[in-house]
Amino acid sequence: MSGNVTFTMIKPQAVADGKMGKIIDKIIEGGFKIKALKYTRLSKEQAMKFYAVHKERPFYGSLVDFMTSGPIVAAILEKDDAVAAYRKYIGSTNPADAEPGTIRALYATSLEKNAVHGSDSDDNAIIEGNFFFSEFERA
Ligand code: CMP
């Protein structure tokens, strides 16, 4: 059975571009309920840990630099089949392939600066949500 939560981050480029409010509105319009929300900035150590699964990839260093370059918004979202529903809603990782109207098609500027992160599995949604939020920070 699919889980009903996923985790997202609005990335530094989208926040710097002033798109934070529009993206949060779009998330809510898509029927995702916000269970937790945080505006913060990742340290290098935190970004390295969050993206550790990619540590052997050639883009890892650049990704860590980018993700620590400014504030981000982290959120836990709830919806039926949340992981798959949200991945469809945000569009392909590479915005060049993202369906028109998706968050990445609207707000990404490159493959790296692709506006938002979305968990790729139920297990990772739990791990990533726990990375950012205590029980007290969830409603
Ligand atoms: P995200 O969904 O946050 O998961 C890993 C991130 O790495 C991805 O979005 C992109 O921002 C980035 N990424 C994935 N593939 C590449 C790539 N080939 N080159 C540069 N960045 C990438």
Side-chain angles (χ1 to χ4, degrees):
M1 198 186 103
S2 307
N4 67 343
V5 294
T6 191
F7 170 83
T8 191
M9 258 191 289
I10 304 175
K11 298 189 179 185
Q13 143 267 338
V15 173
D17 289 349
K19 304 304 182 191
M20 175 174 84
K22 285 189 163 54
I23 292 173
I24 292 172
D25 273 351
K26 180 121 179 114
I27 289 169
I28 294 167
E29 281 166 17
F32 297 89
K33 187 173 172 194
I34 293 179
K35 299 295 290 178
L37 187 69
K38 181 177 288 187
Y39 179 81
T40 188
R41 184 167 179 162
L42 288 168
S43 68
K44 187 167 183 192
E45 290 67 30
Q46 287 169 324
M48 287 173 71
K49 190 172 173 203
F50 186 86
Y51 281 116
V53 63
H54 296 303
K55 67 174 183 289
E56 306 301 337
R57 310 285 289 275
F59 58 81
Y60 180 64
S62 175
L63 179 62
V64 168
D65 285 348
F66 164 56
M67 291 303 297
T68 57
S69 65
I72 58 100
V73 176
I76 296 174
L77 308 176
E78 186 179 83
K79 189 179 186 175
D80 287 349
D81 199 12
V83 167
Y86 191 65
R87 285 175 75 78
K88 184 159 193 278
Y89 196 63
I90 64 179
S92 300
T93 303
N94 187 341
D97 304 324
E99 286 283 309
T102 59
I103 292 177
R104 283 172 170 158
L106 289 168
Y107 301 117
T109 58
S110 71
L111 172 54
E112 180 177 74
K113 297 176 174 60
N114 62 354
V116 290
H117 167 81
S119 303
D120 64 1
S121 68
D122 290 339
D123 285 350
N124 283 337
I126 302 297
I127 291 167
E128 292 171 359
N130 289 342
F131 186 91
F132 278 89
F133 296 102
S134 68
E135 279 309 311
F136 177 65
E137 293 172 304
R138 302 168 195 229

